[in-house]
Amino acid sequence: MVFVKAQKSRAYFKRFQVKYKRRREGKTDYRARIRLINQDKNKYNTPKYRFVVRFSNKGIVAQITSASIAGDMVLAAAYSHELPQYGLEVGLANYAAAYCTGLLLARRVLKKLEMDTEYEGNVEGALDGGLDIPHSEKRFAGYTKESKQLDADVHRKYVFGGHVAAYMTTLMEDEPEKYQSHFSEYIKRGITPDTMEELYKKVHANIRADPIGKKVAKPAPKERKRFNLKKLTYEERRAKLIERLNSLNDAADEEDDE
């Protein structure tokens, strides 16, 4: 039998330490995170805020967070599913919706800190909303590698949903059936390529007017049928025991009388 050298000894496995859960899931880059949350010692535990954005297939989440020993603390948050309150009911995961969500978060956090009158994006919306966020124009729509410059007109087009309007126009002319199915929610609400820009202007104005979200009243939960016994409190169990003992005593007294 050929001798095979053990590459990983017993000592290796005894000392093996698994990675953090979020590293194993591929959710957190701890090398990048530690550079985001490191704070100078002479800042005396001052929170170091960062702008966190997450995109999903259905919506956008934007948060202002700071790290602490107990975990990340969220100063303020905004969600694209809140935009229907401000007049935008469709297209809640595109570039224009990201701008609206960032603008909503910026105005909301400044309102919370009572600084909204002093300072008038996703990142673009937050910047326009009054937040100072380190950024590069290379990430904005309209920046080209050839010219190494940001085309403001192209960027404005994306902020006001012009790219969606252009696609709508193309489908209307070339593939009417696909347009009817793809933009059915837009059609149902009477949104056309010509009214797209005005729609987003109204949404931006509504956000600046009142960035604090309105809580939606949820209906009371319906009573569900129980398939197991309800757990009794100590007082209920005690009363039930006393009642059972009294009934047994009464039955014994009746037998003695007979």
Side-chain angles (χ1 to χ4, degrees):
M1 184 176 178
V2 180
F3 174 75
V4 179
K5 183 181 178 182
Q7 298 296 324
K8 293 180 180 177
S9 64
R10 184 178 178 185
Y12 168 83
F13 288 106
K14 285 177 71 175
R15 296 169 62 86
F16 182 80
Q17 187 174 4
V18 297
K19 303 288 185 184
Y20 290 142
K21 182 179 178 181
R22 291 185 65 85
R23 169 62 188 87
R24 297 198 306 269
E25 293 175 344
K27 290 182 177 179
T28 299
D29 181 355
Y30 284 96
R31 181 182 173 84
R33 175 183 166 81
I34 200 164
R35 284 159 178 73
L36 286 171
I37 67 176
N38 266 0
Q39 180 66 294
D40 296 333
K41 286 188 176 181
N42 61 359
K43 297 292 179 65
Y44 299 100
N45 206 26
T46 302
K48 186 175 183 179
Y49 294 107
R50 66 187 192 276
F51 188 57
V52 180
V53 184
R54 294 290 180 269
F55 285 81
S56 70
N57 290 337
K58 292 186 177 181
I60 303 159
V61 181
Q63 297 172 326
I64 302 291
T65 64
S66 62
S68 71
I69 295 296
D72 283 2
M73 302 297 177
V74 179
L75 177 65
Y79 304 87
S80 63
H81 63 70
E82 297 178 76
L83 296 178
Q85 298 178 16
Y86 299 96
L88 185 64
E89 298 180 343
V90 289
L92 301 180
N94 59 25
Y95 196 96
Y99 179 93
C100 294
T101 308
L103 179 64
L104 176 60
L105 175 60
R107 302 312 300 168
R108 182 170 289 173
V109 72
L110 290 175
K111 184 83 171 177
K112 183 176 181 179
L113 300 174
E114 298 181 354
M115 299 169 65
D116 54 318
T117 56
E118 299 179 29
Y119 299 95
E120 296 291 87
N122 210 329
V123 170
E124 301 92 306
L127 293 170
D128 291 347
L131 298 185
D132 183 15
I133 302 173
H135 66 284
S136 171
E137 291 183 348
K138 293 180 181 179
R139 297 183 63 86
F140 294 171
Y143 180 88
T144 55
K145 292 182 179 179
E146 291 76 17
S147 63
K148 295 185 179 180
Q149 289 182 344
L150 176 67
D151 190 333
D153 294 332
V154 175
H155 187 221
R156 184 184 183 281
K157 173 185 172 184
Y158 274 78
V159 167
F160 289 102
H163 59 302
V164 179
Y167 185 51
M168 289 175 72
T169 305
T170 303
L171 284 185
M172 287 171 67
E173 296 173 355
D174 300 341
E175 300 179 70
E177 293 181 1
K178 186 177 179 181
Y179 168 74
Q180 293 291 332
S181 62
H182 200 72
F183 289 100
S184 59
E185 294 297 323
Y186 286 76
I187 296 169
K188 193 184 297 182
R189 290 168 176 79
I191 301 172
T192 62
D194 298 329
T195 61
M196 190 75 71
E197 185 172 334
E198 289 300 320
L199 171 66
Y200 282 103
K201 283 183 178 179
K202 288 179 182 177
V203 173
H204 297 167
N206 293 339
I207 288 172
R208 290 181 182 276
D210 182 20
I212 303 300
K214 299 174 184 176
K215 290 187 177 180
V216 180
K218 295 182 180 179
K222 298 178 181 178
E223 293 185 6
R224 295 183 179 179
K225 184 178 178 181
R226 292 186 67 95
F227 295 95
N228 57 350
L229 296 175
K230 183 182 177 182
K231 190 174 182 181
L232 302 178
T233 63
Y234 171 75
E235 289 77 12
E236 290 173 338
R237 294 199 306 273
R238 188 169 182 273
K240 190 174 181 181
L241 178 61
I242 291 171
E243 183 182 353
R244 190 185 302 167
L245 291 173
N246 290 337
S247 62
L248 289 172
N249 291 335
D250 293 342
D253 291 342
E254 289 177 0
E255 289 178 2
D256 293 341
D257 293 342
E258 292 176 357

